[in-house]
Amino acid sequence: MKRWTFVFGLLAALLPFGAAAELSKKFGDYEIHYNALATEDLAPDVARAYGLSRSRNVGMLTVAVLKRDASGALQPVAAEVKATAVTLTARLTPLELKEVREGGAIYYIGQYRLSRPETLRFSLQIQPQGEPRRFDLQFQRTFD
């Protein structure tokens, strides 16, 4: 858990003031953390480390799945994560997410094209490993 918090904390700290905050949603013992941002907001070394293109016209989606254990602590878990982004003009973009494991952290990142100004509606389907239920969530992000 500490490593996961460090990774997302580091990412948030590298964003300029006013960038979108990380979002989360609870599903029983699970907590899903997610964020969408323009890659131009990433520090060059962070983008390079994750193989991401830095651009005003490229966005990045991050997703992490945590499960509360018997002691109440949140632990990262692997999951099958599917995501799409839809523009207000109904252009659908399936996102290819790659799993990243660092220390004890597990998270998923993917990139998408932006045509600014643009509002994207993201749909996520998340099935944690070993969990019969699938969790669906949607959120919207405007890029000026």
Side-chain angles (χ1 to χ4, degrees):
M1 174 61 188
K2 289 180 183 175
R3 179 69 175 168
W4 180 88
T5 301
F6 171 77
V7 170
F8 275 95
L10 176 64
L11 183 59
L14 295 171
L15 298 176
F17 182 77
E22 177 186 332
L23 305 168
S24 66
K25 185 166 183 179
K26 293 180 182 181
F27 295 90
D29 289 339
Y30 291 92
E31 199 169 289
I32 313 297
H33 290 251
Y34 54 97
N35 196 1
L37 55 114
T39 59
E40 72 179 335
D41 295 333
L42 295 173
D45 57 331
V46 172
R48 209 172 13 263
Y50 292 101
L52 302 169
S53 302
R54 285 185 73 238
S55 172
R56 173 175 169 72
N57 296 316
V58 176
M60 178 179 93
L61 175 70
T62 63
V63 179
V65 182
L66 305 172
K67 184 177 183 184
R68 197 164 302 283
D69 65 17
S71 71
L74 289 170
Q75 300 296 327
V77 295
E80 180 180 343
V81 181
K82 295 180 182 176
T84 58
V86 179
T87 66
L88 295 180
T89 59
R91 185 184 81 227
L92 175 71
T93 303
L95 303 180
E96 187 174 323
L97 301 176
K98 69 177 181 178
E99 182 180 87
V100 176
R101 290 181 181 242
E102 290 183 332
I106 304 170
Y107 50 98
Y108 302 85
I109 58 175
Q111 291 187 280
Y112 48 89
R113 303 292 300 156
L114 291 172
S115 299
R116 292 183 179 216
E118 184 166 60
T119 298
L120 295 175
R121 292 183 187 140
F122 294 90
S123 293
L124 305 176
Q125 297 176 338
I126 300 147
Q127 181 143 19
Q129 191 172 25
E131 175 63 45
R133 297 174 295 164
R134 182 183 84 188
F135 307 124
D136 296 329
L137 65 91
Q138 293 79 38
F139 70 101
Q140 184 169 296
R141 175 76 200 282
T142 299
F143 298 89
D144 296 318

